[in-house]
């Protein structure tokens, strides 16, 4: 089994880049994910159903379509991409940052849904009690609501990370498959399947992908249970 860890430099780069992209995508998605989940869970406004549909659209659209829409929007000639490149020097297309953006978009619905369900399960009486004592809404959310929804936050973040680790269609459409820059694990596996004798490399990276994703899911379950037990004790 030593061949499993006998990775080439390009394979190691794909592993490191995948973890980097998935981590950045997860962390960048967390603040807007919390805000959107709170809005959908508590808000009453016209267009709520439409917003919910837009948030979950990446789950039902073909990933290639999502990637193409990102390319049209955040590419160098796209409205958002041209503005960011000209005024801030931020370029997404054909960069690892673009891969993180694509992965973040694809994992966003899973994160929002997990957090939203946790917020909806919170007993509003506890928040109201803190409010009657003079606490402002931001303090109540940070000290009362966030600890109560922490298992959902953890689950949503890990689901987003796991989704990012396996994202392929949107990423390869938006940022292509450039070794060392945008070639993540799924892209590297695809490359191996297209060349003669690449089966061993594809199998190595497939097993590594499974191990990383399973480790993330197990860690999420363990953390959520520990947080839940600690809250029960308190």
């Amino acid at each position: 089994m030593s061949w499993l860890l006998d990775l080439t430099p390009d394979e190691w780069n794909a592993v490191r880049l995948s973890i980097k992209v998935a981590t950045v995508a997860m962390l960048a998605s967390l603040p807007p994910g919390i805000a959107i989940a709170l809005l959908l869970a508590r808000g009453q406004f016209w267009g709520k159903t439409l917003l919910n549909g837009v948030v979950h659209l990446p789950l039902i659209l073909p990933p290639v379509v999502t990637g193409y829409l990102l390319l049209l929007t955040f590419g160098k000639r796209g409205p958002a991409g041209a503005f960011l490149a000209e005024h801030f020097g931020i370029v997404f297309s054909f960069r690892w940052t673009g891969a993180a953006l694509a992965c973040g978009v694809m994992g966003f619905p899973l994160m929002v849904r997990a957090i939203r369900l946790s917020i909806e399960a919170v007993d509003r009486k506890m928040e109201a009690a803190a409010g009657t004592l003079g606490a402002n809404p931001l303090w109540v959310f940070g000290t009362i609501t966030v600890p109560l929804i922490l298992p959902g936050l953890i689950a949503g973040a890990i689901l987003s990370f796991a989704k990012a680790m396996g994202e392929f269609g949107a990423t390869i459409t938006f940022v292509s498959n450039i070794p060392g820059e945008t070639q993540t694990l799924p892209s590297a596996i695809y490359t191996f399947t297209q060349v003669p004798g690449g089966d061993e490399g594809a199998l190595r990276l497939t097993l590594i992908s499974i191990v990383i994703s399973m480790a993330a899911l197990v860690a999420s379950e363990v953390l959520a249970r520990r947080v839940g037990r600690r809250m029960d004790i308190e």
Side-chain angles (χ1 to χ4, degrees), residues 43-220:
Q44 297 295 331
F45 56 92
W46 183 89
K48 180 178 178 179
T49 301
L50 179 62
L51 175 61
N52 185 61
V54 171
V55 168
H56 290 85
L57 203 56
L59 285 180
I60 57 176
L61 280 179
V64 173
V65 173
T66 302
Y68 182 62
L69 291 175
L70 288 172
L71 185 60
L72 291 178
T73 306
F74 292 96
K76 289 185 178 181
R77 296 182 180 180
F83 176 81
L84 291 172
E86 181 179 350
H87 293 86
F88 301 100
I90 299 174
V91 178
F92 286 109
S93 57
F94 309 109
R95 303 282 180 86
W96 75 267
T97 50
L101 175 61
C103 289
V105 169
M106 294 301 294
F108 194 69
L110 298 176
M111 175 183 286
V112 169
R113 182 165 181 79
I115 299 174
R116 178 184 178 180
L117 291 175
S118 293
I119 293 175
E120 290 175 343
V122 171
D123 186 355
R124 299 293 298 275
K125 294 179 181 178
M126 299 179 65
E127 297 173 318
T132 59
L133 297 176
N136 63 65
L138 187 61
W139 187 90
V140 171
F141 181 76
T143 60
I144 304 296
T145 309
V146 170
L148 291 174
I149 67 172
L150 196 54
L153 286 175
I154 295 172
I158 298 300
L159 283 174
S160 174
F161 177 87
K163 175 64 175 176
M165 285 295 300
E167 173 49 38
F168 174 69
T171 303
I172 200 170
T173 304
F174 182 34
V175 297
S176 190
N177 183 14
I178 306 170
E181 181 64 34
T182 65
Q183 189 179 73
T184 56
L185 277 170
S187 301
I189 293 170
Y190 172 77
T191 300
F192 273 121
T193 63
Q194 302 304 302
V195 298
D199 292 346
E200 187 173 295
L203 180 58
R204 273 199 304 268
L205 295 184
T206 297
L207 293 176
I208 289 173
S209 298
I210 293 172
V211 169
I212 294 174
S213 297
M214 281 300 299
L217 292 173
V218 170
S220 169

